[in-house]
mmCIF file of all heavy atoms in Angstrom:
data_model
loop_
_atom_site.group_PDB
_atom_site.id
_atom_site.type_symbol
_atom_site.label_atom_id
_atom_site.label_comp_id
_atom_site.label_asym_id
_atom_site.label_seq_id
_atom_site.Cartn_x
_atom_site.Cartn_y
_atom_site.Cartn_z
ATOM 1 N N PRO A 1456 13.755 -7.130 -8.186
ATOM 2 C CA PRO A 1456 12.472 -6.433 -8.016
ATOM 3 C C PRO A 1456 11.459 -7.230 -7.212
ATOM 4 O O PRO A 1456 10.553 -6.645 -6.603
ATOM 5 C CB PRO A 1456 11.999 -6.205 -9.457
ATOM 6 C CG PRO A 1456 12.710 -7.233 -10.263
ATOM 7 C CD PRO A 1456 14.048 -7.405 -9.599
ATOM 8 N N GLU A 1457 11.594 -8.563 -7.197
ATOM 9 C CA GLU A 1457 10.664 -9.375 -6.415
ATOM 10 C C GLU A 1457 10.807 -9.111 -4.920
ATOM 11 O O GLU A 1457 9.919 -9.483 -4.129
ATOM 12 C CB GLU A 1457 10.889 -10.869 -6.707
ATOM 13 C CG GLU A 1457 12.206 -11.446 -6.203
ATOM 14 C CD GLU A 1457 13.392 -11.215 -7.134
ATOM 15 O OE1 GLU A 1457 13.232 -10.467 -8.133
ATOM 16 O OE2 GLU A 1457 14.463 -11.800 -6.884
ATOM 17 N N MET A 1458 11.886 -8.464 -4.506
ATOM 18 C CA MET A 1458 12.107 -8.173 -3.098
ATOM 19 C C MET A 1458 11.402 -6.884 -2.641
ATOM 20 O O MET A 1458 11.261 -6.663 -1.440
ATOM 21 C CB MET A 1458 13.606 -8.043 -2.798
ATOM 22 C CG MET A 1458 14.414 -9.288 -3.112
ATOM 23 S SD MET A 1458 13.924 -10.676 -2.063
ATOM 24 C CE MET A 1458 15.102 -11.938 -2.623
ATOM 25 N N TRP A 1459 11.018 -6.025 -3.607
ATOM 26 C CA TRP A 1459 10.421 -4.755 -3.192
ATOM 27 C C TRP A 1459 9.184 -4.348 -3.978
ATOM 28 O O TRP A 1459 8.527 -3.367 -3.625
ATOM 29 C CB TRP A 1459 11.461 -3.645 -3.246
ATOM 30 C CG TRP A 1459 12.054 -3.399 -4.612
ATOM 31 C CD1 TRP A 1459 11.425 -2.839 -5.695
ATOM 32 C CD2 TRP A 1459 13.387 -3.699 -5.037
ATOM 33 N NE1 TRP A 1459 12.287 -2.754 -6.763
ATOM 34 C CE2 TRP A 1459 13.499 -3.281 -6.395
ATOM 35 C CE3 TRP A 1459 14.494 -4.262 -4.418
ATOM 36 C CZ2 TRP A 1459 14.683 -3.421 -7.125
ATOM 37 C CZ3 TRP A 1459 15.671 -4.397 -5.143
ATOM 38 C CH2 TRP A 1459 15.759 -3.987 -6.477
ATOM 39 N N CYS A 1460 8.823 -5.054 -5.008
ATOM 40 C CA CYS A 1460 7.587 -4.739 -5.742
ATOM 41 C C CYS A 1460 6.443 -5.607 -5.222
ATOM 42 O O CYS A 1460 6.605 -6.814 -5.021
ATOM 43 C CB CYS A 1460 7.772 -4.983 -7.236
ATOM 44 S SG CYS A 1460 8.737 -3.715 -8.061
ATOM 45 N N ASN A 1461 5.276 -4.991 -5.011
ATOM 46 C CA ASN A 1461 4.064 -5.727 -4.639
ATOM 47 C C ASN A 1461 4.278 -6.533 -3.354
ATOM 48 O O ASN A 1461 3.927 -7.710 -3.266
ATOM 49 C CB ASN A 1461 3.625 -6.651 -5.777
ATOM 50 C CG ASN A 1461 3.615 -5.947 -7.113
ATOM 51 O OD1 ASN A 1461 3.035 -4.873 -7.243
ATOM 52 N ND2 ASN A 1461 4.284 -6.514 -8.109
ATOM 53 N N GLY A 1462 4.882 -5.897 -2.360
ATOM 54 C CA GLY A 1462 5.212 -6.577 -1.119
ATOM 55 C C GLY A 1462 3.996 -6.980 -0.305
ATOM 56 O O GLY A 1462 2.847 -6.670 -0.655
ATOM 57 N N PRO A 1463 4.208 -7.653 0.823
ATOM 58 C CA PRO A 1463 3.104 -8.277 1.564
ATOM 59 C C PRO A 1463 2.079 -7.307 2.129
ATOM 60 O O PRO A 1463 0.928 -7.685 2.340
ATOM 61 C CB PRO A 1463 3.824 -9.043 2.684
ATOM 62 C CG PRO A 1463 5.178 -8.426 2.778
ATOM 63 C CD PRO A 1463 5.524 -7.983 1.392
ATOM 64 N N ARG A 1464 2.451 -6.037 2.366
ATOM 65 C CA ARG A 1464 1.496 -5.081 2.953
ATOM 66 C C ARG A 1464 1.078 -3.988 1.972
ATOM 67 O O ARG A 1464 0.441 -3.004 2.368
ATOM 68 C CB ARG A 1464 2.111 -4.432 4.205
ATOM 69 C CG ARG A 1464 2.427 -5.411 5.323
ATOM 70 C CD ARG A 1464 2.923 -4.681 6.570
ATOM 71 N NE ARG A 1464 1.866 -3.864 7.175
ATOM 72 C CZ ARG A 1464 2.074 -3.010 8.188
ATOM 73 N NH1 ARG A 1464 3.302 -2.855 8.679
ATOM 74 N NH2 ARG A 1464 1.074 -2.301 8.687
ATOM 75 N N ILE A 1465 1.402 -4.150 0.694
ATOM 76 C CA ILE A 1465 1.198 -3.052 -0.248
ATOM 77 C C ILE A 1465 -0.264 -2.627 -0.350
ATOM 78 O O ILE A 1465 -0.587 -1.433 -0.353
ATOM 79 C CB ILE A 1465 1.779 -3.390 -1.652
ATOM 80 C CG1 ILE A 1465 1.736 -2.163 -2.557
ATOM 81 C CG2 ILE A 1465 1.065 -4.572 -2.280
ATOM 82 C CD1 ILE A 1465 2.570 -0.998 -2.064
ATOM 83 N N HIS A 1466 -1.184 -3.579 -0.397
ATOM 84 C CA HIS A 1466 -2.595 -3.197 -0.552
ATOM 85 C C HIS A 1466 -3.159 -2.614 0.746
ATOM 86 O O HIS A 1466 -4.037 -1.745 0.711
ATOM 87 C CB HIS A 1466 -3.401 -4.386 -1.049
ATOM 88 C CG HIS A 1466 -2.957 -4.848 -2.396
ATOM 89 N ND1 HIS A 1466 -3.065 -4.061 -3.520
ATOM 90 C CD2 HIS A 1466 -2.357 -5.996 -2.799
ATOM 91 C CE1 HIS A 1466 -2.563 -4.702 -4.559
ATOM 92 N NE2 HIS A 1466 -2.119 -5.873 -4.147
ATOM 93 N N GLU A 1467 -2.631 -3.049 1.872
ATOM 94 C CA GLU A 1467 -2.990 -2.431 3.148
ATOM 95 C C GLU A 1467 -2.572 -0.965 3.161
ATOM 96 O O GLU A 1467 -3.340 -0.075 3.548
ATOM 97 C CB GLU A 1467 -2.309 -3.185 4.290
ATOM 98 C CG GLU A 1467 -2.477 -2.543 5.655
ATOM 99 C CD GLU A 1467 -1.565 -3.159 6.703
ATOM 100 O OE1 GLU A 1467 -1.036 -4.267 6.477
ATOM 101 O OE2 GLU A 1467 -1.371 -2.507 7.754
ATOM 102 N N PHE A 1468 -1.344 -0.684 2.706
ATOM 103 C CA PHE A 1468 -0.850 0.695 2.689
ATOM 104 C C PHE A 1468 -1.669 1.568 1.736
ATOM 105 O O PHE A 1468 -2.017 2.713 2.070
ATOM 106 C CB PHE A 1468 0.623 0.723 2.285
ATOM 107 C CG PHE A 1468 1.572 0.097 3.271
ATOM 108 C CD1 PHE A 1468 2.816 -0.364 2.857
ATOM 109 C CD2 PHE A 1468 1.230 -0.035 4.613
ATOM 110 C CE1 PHE A 1468 3.699 -0.935 3.746
ATOM 111 C CE2 PHE A 1468 2.107 -0.615 5.521
ATOM 112 C CZ PHE A 1468 3.351 -1.066 5.090
ATOM 113 N N ILE A 1469 -1.950 1.054 0.561
ATOM 114 C CA ILE A 1469 -2.689 1.857 -0.422
ATOM 115 C C ILE A 1469 -4.109 2.116 0.050
ATOM 116 O O ILE A 1469 -4.650 3.217 -0.109
ATOM 117 C CB ILE A 1469 -2.661 1.168 -1.798
ATOM 118 C CG1 ILE A 1469 -1.236 1.228 -2.367
ATOM 119 C CG2 ILE A 1469 -3.643 1.832 -2.759
ATOM 120 C CD1 ILE A 1469 -1.081 0.506 -3.679
ATOM 121 N N HIS A 1470 -4.737 1.108 0.638
ATOM 122 C CA HIS A 1470 -6.090 1.296 1.176
ATOM 123 C C HIS A 1470 -6.072 2.370 2.263
ATOM 124 O O HIS A 1470 -6.939 3.256 2.295
ATOM 125 C CB HIS A 1470 -6.606 -0.028 1.743
ATOM 126 C CG HIS A 1470 -7.975 0.080 2.352
ATOM 127 N ND1 HIS A 1470 -9.126 0.174 1.598
ATOM 128 C CD2 HIS A 1470 -8.363 0.127 3.658
ATOM 129 C CE1 HIS A 1470 -10.169 0.268 2.402
ATOM 130 N NE2 HIS A 1470 -9.732 0.245 3.656
ATOM 131 N N GLU A 1471 -5.101 2.315 3.160
ATOM 132 C CA GLU A 1471 -5.011 3.302 4.220
ATOM 133 C C GLU A 1471 -4.779 4.698 3.647
ATOM 134 O O GLU A 1471 -5.400 5.672 4.086
ATOM 135 C CB GLU A 1471 -3.871 2.924 5.164
ATOM 136 C CG GLU A 1471 -3.672 3.911 6.311
ATOM 137 C CD GLU A 1471 -2.455 3.556 7.143
ATOM 138 O OE1 GLU A 1471 -1.324 3.975 6.765
ATOM 139 O OE2 GLU A 1471 -2.635 2.871 8.171
ATOM 140 N N MET A 1472 -3.881 4.808 2.668
ATOM 141 C CA MET A 1472 -3.602 6.096 2.038
ATOM 142 C C MET A 1472 -4.872 6.683 1.425
ATOM 143 O O MET A 1472 -5.157 7.881 1.554
ATOM 144 C CB MET A 1472 -2.525 5.929 0.964
ATOM 145 C CG MET A 1472 -2.205 7.188 0.184
ATOM 146 S SD MET A 1472 -0.835 6.932 -0.977
ATOM 147 C CE MET A 1472 -1.544 5.732 -2.109
ATOM 148 N N ASN A 1473 -5.633 5.828 0.769
ATOM 149 C CA ASN A 1473 -6.873 6.287 0.154
ATOM 150 C C ASN A 1473 -7.867 6.756 1.207
ATOM 151 O O ASN A 1473 -8.458 7.838 1.095
ATOM 152 C CB ASN A 1473 -7.477 5.167 -0.690
ATOM 153 C CG ASN A 1473 -8.676 5.640 -1.476
ATOM 154 O OD1 ASN A 1473 -8.652 6.696 -2.086
ATOM 155 N ND2 ASN A 1473 -9.740 4.856 -1.451
ATOM 156 N N GLN A 1474 -8.048 5.948 2.248
ATOM 157 C CA GLN A 1474 -9.050 6.266 3.260
ATOM 158 C C GLN A 1474 -8.671 7.485 4.095
ATOM 159 O O GLN A 1474 -9.525 8.316 4.440
ATOM 160 C CB GLN A 1474 -9.262 5.053 4.170
ATOM 161 C CG GLN A 1474 -9.903 3.863 3.471
ATOM 162 C CD GLN A 1474 -11.247 4.223 2.855
ATOM 163 O OE1 GLN A 1474 -12.116 4.795 3.506
ATOM 164 N NE2 GLN A 1474 -11.406 3.917 1.568
ATOM 165 N N LYS A 1475 -7.399 7.622 4.432
ATOM 166 C CA LYS A 1475 -6.979 8.695 5.326
ATOM 167 C C LYS A 1475 -6.664 10.006 4.617
ATOM 168 O O LYS A 1475 -6.829 11.083 5.202
ATOM 169 C CB LYS A 1475 -5.750 8.253 6.130
ATOM 170 C CG LYS A 1475 -6.052 7.219 7.200
ATOM 171 C CD LYS A 1475 -4.840 7.003 8.101
ATOM 172 C CE LYS A 1475 -5.165 6.090 9.270
ATOM 173 N NZ LYS A 1475 -4.013 5.928 10.187
ATOM 174 N N ALA A 1476 -6.204 9.922 3.363
ATOM 175 C CA ALA A 1476 -5.721 11.145 2.714
ATOM 176 C C ALA A 1476 -6.474 11.521 1.449
ATOM 177 O O ALA A 1476 -6.718 12.701 1.209
ATOM 178 C CB ALA A 1476 -4.229 11.008 2.402
ATOM 179 N N LEU A 1477 -6.826 10.553 0.627
ATOM 180 C CA LEU A 1477 -7.366 10.868 -0.694
ATOM 181 C C LEU A 1477 -8.892 10.926 -0.722
ATOM 182 O O LEU A 1477 -9.489 11.896 -1.194
ATOM 183 C CB LEU A 1477 -6.861 9.852 -1.717
ATOM 184 C CG LEU A 1477 -5.343 9.763 -1.881
ATOM 185 C CD1 LEU A 1477 -4.974 8.644 -2.847
ATOM 186 C CD2 LEU A 1477 -4.765 11.089 -2.351
ATOM 187 N N ALA A 1478 -9.542 9.879 -0.226
ATOM 188 C CA ALA A 1478 -11.004 9.795 -0.319
ATOM 189 C C ALA A 1478 -11.725 10.959 0.348
ATOM 190 O O ALA A 1478 -12.722 11.454 -0.194
ATOM 191 C CB ALA A 1478 -11.481 8.457 0.256
ATOM 192 N N PRO A 1479 -11.274 11.447 1.503
ATOM 193 C CA PRO A 1479 -11.989 12.569 2.108
ATOM 194 C C PRO A 1479 -12.052 13.817 1.235
ATOM 195 O O PRO A 1479 -12.927 14.665 1.414
ATOM 196 C CB PRO A 1479 -11.178 12.842 3.394
ATOM 197 C CG PRO A 1479 -10.563 11.529 3.736
ATOM 198 C CD PRO A 1479 -10.207 10.931 2.397
#
């Protein structure tokens, strides 16, 4: 699981998802 959980870009992806799809 250390190979795919909480990976290096995870917070970048979630922030983008929030800004582009959810927050609006």
Side-chain angles (χ1 to χ4, degrees):
E1457 68 277 8
M1458 300 296 183
W1459 61 71
C1460 284
N1461 313 309
R1464 298 185 67 188
I1465 188 62
H1466 297 296
E1467 173 191 343
F1468 293 157
I1469 291 177
H1470 178 75
E1471 179 185 85
M1472 177 176 65
N1473 187 45
Q1474 293 303 310
K1475 288 189 174 183
L1477 301 176

